[in-house]
Amino acid sequence: MKKLLLAISLFAIHNSLVAQDLKYYLPDSVTYNPSIPKPKDIIYHEVGEWHVTHDRLVNYMRAVAAAAPARIKFEIMGLTYENRPQVLLIITSPKNHQRLEEIRQQHLLLSDPAKSASVNIDPASGGMPVVVYIGHSIHGNESSGSNAALLSAYYLAAAQGRQIDELLENVVILFDPSFNPDGLQRFSTWANQHKSKNLVSDPNSREFNEVWPGGRFNHYWFDLNRDWLPAVHVESQNRLEWFHKWKPNILTDHHEQGSNATFFFQPGVPSRVNPLTPAKNQELTAKLGKFHAAFLDRIGSLYFTKENYDDFYYGKGSTYPDINGAIGILFEQASSRGHLQQTNNGLLSFPFTIKNQFITALSTLEGAKALRKEFLEWQREFYKNSMSEAAASPVKGYVFGSENDKTSTSVFVQMLLKHDINVSRIRADISIDGQLYQNNKAYVVPLEQAQTKVIRAIFEKTFTYKDSLFYDITSWTLPLAFGLPHAELNAAQLRSIYEPELRVDGLPAHIIKSNYGYLIPWTDMASPAVLHAMINEGILVKTATSKFEAVVGGLAMKFNPGTLFVPVQSQSLSSDNLYDALRPILIKYNIQSYAVQSGASVSGIDLGSSRFVPVTKPSIAMLVGPGVNATDAGEVWHLLDQRMNIPATHLEISVFNRVDLNKYNTLIMVGGTYTDLNKEKLKSWVQAGGTLILTEEAVSWASQNGVTDVKFKRAKSPVDSTQKLSYTEREQIDGAQQVQGAIFGADVDLAHPLAYGYDQKTVSLFKGNRVFMEKSKNPYATPFYYGSKPLQSGWVSQQNIEAIKNSAAVVVNTVGTGRVINIADNPNFRAFWLGGSKLFMNAIFFGRIIDAASARTE
């Protein structure tokens, strides 16, 4: 009998860990409308029994909205790269839905200091509801959030009684079941296809160990939880449009953490809050946290706060709201990764992780309802205070823009507009610190506007920090990242160039036909895309390796190295057909060409000089797979595919080791480890004439494995061996030596092929590693290098600063007849570092034309 009871007990425990019906999750204090479909009715399994796929998740959201039209409005915000819908449910009371647009418009007035005083927010007199954005699983393999969305949607649609009626009357819920549809689909497929009928909980099992790159990322292997501010990706852009359409008071961001943890909710580490975030924000976060604690206590779940996670980088979903008059809340649930996993805290089931996410969604809504007036008052107060700060600041705005790089300037402008920032073309020339900003070509952003905090987060540099440990990067000054000239403006300067009118569209390129040749400056971010498109059309293109001055339209015009030259008579096409092929390419990318009628230059090299070198078509392969940093590789993929329209082969290391490499003339190795790579095969390929582009840790790997002879500097230890330190100090001391991410200015040899297109002698690069290259003994082989004061913004330890000083940012090696281009840092960081992408594209197109003697190091 005892054995039978034990068997029954164990079966019951196992069943409670795995297959659960809705009673396991849902509050029993309310009744539920039987006409609302339960998740199993639509997705064909119980919540938590399998990982819901994105298509089934959307099907349920559509079904529950159709069944409860008085409470739920179904919206599609947009489509992902893989054409999956980004769904948003707007959930509130029937009464509120009848005047939803009125509520939205009234709510937006809270962010307008000139009008917010007129808005009624008093619950006692029928004031407006609070707006809460609930978002799930921006990392696709942290899927308990999106699976919990099934429960939340059902509860909000089906629950009946005074409790739910009061909630919906006082709250408008913007419900986003999946921040990252493509990643969620990828991960759910993995987890489900490796699930056993008899669940396996061993963490070593394949179910818990995804193949590269995993489901965390979007289609281009990007971490979307770093993209709220730069807004590079379509998922972020679609979401931001709805965020600013409503400007919510609270935004929740449901994540997962290591399996051996418990549950985290904010506040985070107090010393790691960005100084732009007001103290009141953290006070309200803590108030809301009491609701999370109470709800988790009720079900006996363990949790922690004020550890590990911070509120510093505004590109994260839990931090971006903090500079938009809202409260961002990060939830981190210990991850089961599959369906049932053994952890330090015992067996962790997928249903349990879902339950915690669901419970904290309810605690957020309950807290929002109870603190409704405080959150609405804070939004109004936030924008008033922000405007007062802007009025008191000596900085009144920012001017930026490059006439030579219209594409980067345009991308920057569009990014500002996505954040609801007012920006205009300047109405008069202005010169600041020797930089001329031209009328109707540069742009101005006044600081005294509602989004002043976001503007400061984008433009300001940071050098002072309360802490030396960071969860993410320490600086991201976006004009530096984009490589754009920019400057602060005082009141008089702002008045001289600003008019409050949105004018952001420039004039299209004007293409004049020539029977001799076309000159195309190599200064725009889109220039490589134009070059590749021309070569694809069979057009012969040369690049200038020296300065020259040519006659264009009867006037002498100066051209720099890198300028493209398309000679008419050297083509297989007639002059008319050449023009017909060129024109749509130049118009597509809005790149100006200059028609010349003679090969004679006013000064410098003539157009027939051998210093005009033919450009060959790059045949590119990038090494990917286990050991390779997926986000670094994704940044290259996105740059080539989305911005440049250039195809590149993605070679798994095992494939590299067995295929013929002769079809490729360019190989890319980003940060990571390449233990299984056939290094002799790689070296032979370079010696035979290939161009090898290395970034970050790949530079170290190549040197250690004899592919290059790059030498490195070492940072000194922060601890003297004679010091006696407490064990508890280790984390702080060791952590401070990590280079989490800061901005450094590299001095540039503007005549070098890798520097073609740059017009400033200092280029801002992002450093997030401890790769410190020594300068080459060859004076021509270090075209980018750090001087004695390289730090432009961010935090880095003094020991690392000393190592970075006078180190090489880029070193070029000659290996046989090939070239190795060593880039110590990540020039394409998070796809918004456009100022570094120019260097990377130069390596692809011009690496082969670098003179062997200038790259020889022996």
Side-chain angles (χ1 to χ4, degrees), residues 1 7 9 84 106 141 154 157 208 289 324 391 403 434 462 476 513 602 642 670 772 779 793 825 829 839 856:
M1 179 61 73
S9 176
R84 290 191 174 87
Q106 284 289 305
N141 61 0
Y154 175 75
F208 310 108
N324 283 277
E403 167 63 12
T462 309
W476 53 87
K513 185 175 180 295
V602 176
Q642 285 289 324
V670 299
F772 311 125
S793 184
D825 306 312
F829 183 67
L839 157 64
R856 191 167 287 117

Side-chain angles (χ1 to χ4, degrees), residues 711 774-782 811 856-858:
K711 304 295 189 296
E774 291 185 357
K775 293 179 181 177
S776 173
K777 293 180 180 179
N778 184 331
Y780 310 108
T782 311
V811 170
R856 191 167 287 117
T857 54
E858 65 273 9

Side-chain angles (χ1 to χ4, degrees), residues 446-641:
L447 195 58
E448 290 188 51
Q449 56 176 295
Q451 292 297 85
T452 179
K453 289 275 190 179
V454 183
I455 295 167
R456 292 177 60 189
I458 287 170
F459 281 90
E460 285 186 350
K461 300 176 182 178
T462 309
F463 297 101
T464 304
Y465 299 84
K466 292 181 180 180
D467 205 331
S468 57
L469 300 183
F470 300 88
Y471 187 77
D472 200 69
I473 61 177
T474 69
S475 184
W476 53 87
T477 310
L478 292 180
L480 291 177
F482 277 65
L484 294 176
H486 63 286
E488 296 176 347
L489 299 170
N490 60 33
Q493 291 169 327
L494 179 65
R495 284 195 299 271
S496 70
I497 64 172
Y498 174 61
E499 56 179 329
E501 178 186 353
L502 183 63
R503 294 183 298 115
V504 297
D505 295 326
L507 296 174
H510 182 53
I511 315 302
I512 298 175
K513 185 175 180 295
S514 172
N515 289 318
Y516 191 88
Y518 300 88
L519 294 173
I520 305 169
W522 184 263
T523 55
D524 196 275
M525 186 194 79
S527 297
V530 169
L531 174 56
H532 186 266
M534 290 191 295
I535 295 174
N536 258 0
E537 290 291 326
I539 298 171
L540 171 67
V541 185
K542 298 183 177 184
T543 187
T545 59
S546 296
K547 292 181 179 180
F548 64 99
E549 191 172 2
V551 175
V552 176
L555 300 174
M557 186 172 178
K558 295 180 179 179
F559 293 90
N560 288 322
T563 298
L564 303 179
F565 174 47
V566 180
V568 173
Q569 298 305 319
S570 301
Q571 308 294 334
S572 59
L573 302 172
S574 68
S575 61
D576 288 341
N577 289 340
L578 175 63
Y579 176 76
D580 290 341
L582 278 176
R583 190 172 183 276
I585 295 172
L586 295 168
I587 289 176
K588 175 181 178 178
Y589 294 101
N590 197 26
I591 297 296
Q592 186 65 53
S593 68
Y594 297 93
V596 289
Q597 308 301 334
S598 171
S601 294
V602 176
S603 63
I605 57 174
D606 291 323
L607 301 190
S609 168
S610 61
R611 293 187 181 181
F612 276 93
V613 180
V615 183
T616 57
K617 182 178 180 178
S619 178
I620 305 168
M622 176 172 61
L623 294 182
V624 300
V628 178
N629 186 308
T631 55
D632 285 12
E635 288 151 10
V636 173
W637 182 17
H638 180 273
L639 172 68
L640 296 177
D641 195 39

Side-chain angles (χ1 to χ4, degrees), residues 285-306:
T285 300
K287 277 191 173 184
L288 193 57
K290 292 179 179 179
F291 289 86
H292 308 321
F295 275 53
L296 290 169
D297 285 342
R298 194 179 301 165
I299 62 172
S301 289
L302 298 175
Y303 54 85
F304 65 98
T305 67
K306 300 179 182 178

